[in-house]
Amino acid sequence: SQQGEEDPQALSIQEGENATMNCSYKTSINNLQWYRQNSGRGLVHLILIRSNEREKHSGRLRVTLDTSKKSSSLLITASRAADTASYFCATDELNAGGTSYGKLTFGQGTILTVHP
Amino acid sequence: EAGVAQSPRYKIIEKRQSVAFWCNPISGHATLYWYQQILGQGPKLLIQFQNNGVVDDSQLPKDRFSAERLKGVDSTLKIQPAKLEDSAVYLCASSLRTFGRGVYNEQFFGPGTRLTVL
């Protein structure tokens, strides 16, 4: 089952612009992670935000998490052509006992195209 | 450090044939995952191992899919017999450890095996 729903499904911008992708989910989580997948390549971990965190930065990436709304956003600032890829959010859900087995549930992804 | 290794990278078979994929996780990683990624979708977890034990196989179609991790290191995923809808990329991932609230695990993914069933 797909928990994370991402918006938009596709995003096309010019180099230097910012790109914002949103993710919504349905259950209680231990953490939320963002991954990037280039065409024909495997997934690469970008950033992890814990359930008790609201914002996190890593280089040109900024992630926010609102557990009350069960949503997250990924902002890529000053985008580059090399940022062209599919971006996925993935949730590490808490089970009924309030613990995590590390199982990730991925969204459908946002396809980002950055034009030079 | 070496990443997650998978083979083969590509496989084309006819429906009703059998196929097997191999994964070697990052050294020391106790947890291993197999995902299926259909074109245009996000990865879907098929099975999760902790050492050589199964943690979650709730989404594994057990009538045709099987997986093992006998010595707690390498793993194989098998499909027998294959159907057209099994055409997908099969991703293997590993992480250092898994259990517990407050345990935060990054998963490292291999390059995947692209399976085409004709």
Side-chain angles (χ1 to χ4, degrees), chain B residues 2 6 8 12 15 21 23-25 32-33 36 42 47-48 59 68 73 78 85 100 102 105-106 110-112 115:
Chain B
Q6 289 188 248
I12 301 174
K15 60 182 180 183
F21 313 126
C23 172
N24 183 253
L32 185 147
Y33 313 80
Q36 179 193 58
I47 189 166
Q48 175 183 345
Q59 298 190 94
E68 59 183 12
V73 181
K78 297 179 181 178
E85 59 261 36
N105 291 287
E106 173 185 348
L115 173 67

Side-chain angles (χ1 to χ4, degrees), chain B residues 12-83:
Chain B
I12 301 174
I13 61 173
E14 295 189 349
K15 60 182 180 183
R16 291 189 289 274
Q17 285 187 324
S18 302
V19 65
F21 313 126
W22 173 83
C23 172
N24 183 253
I26 293 173
S27 178
H29 280 197
T31 310
L32 185 147
Y33 313 80
W34 282 103
Y35 290 87
Q36 179 193 58
Q37 186 177 20
I38 293 172
L39 186 64
Q41 299 183 15
K44 180 183 82 171
L45 180 70
L46 293 175
I47 189 166
Q48 175 183 345
F49 291 96
Q50 178 79 5
N51 297 310
N52 61 350
V54 175
V55 175
D56 187 329
D57 63 357
S58 58
Q59 298 190 94
L60 186 74
K62 298 180 186 62
D63 58 334
R64 297 183 302 105
F65 286 65
S66 64
E68 59 183 12
R69 194 185 184 201
L70 291 176
K71 297 182 180 179
V73 181
D74 294 10
S75 177
T76 56
L77 175 70
K78 297 179 181 178
I79 307 176
Q80 180 179 10
K83 293 185 176 181

Side-chain angles (χ1 to χ4, degrees), chain A residues 67-103:
Chain A
T67 52
S68 66
K69 295 181 179 179
K70 291 185 167 55
S71 66
S72 174
S73 67
L74 171 68
L75 169 67
I76 305 173
T77 59
S79 62
R80 307 166 181 168
D83 295 328
T84 294
S86 293
Y87 291 81
F88 295 91
C89 70
T91 50
D92 178 1
E93 300 168 20
L94 294 174
N95 59 30
T99 60
S100 163
Y101 292 123
K103 169 184 174 180

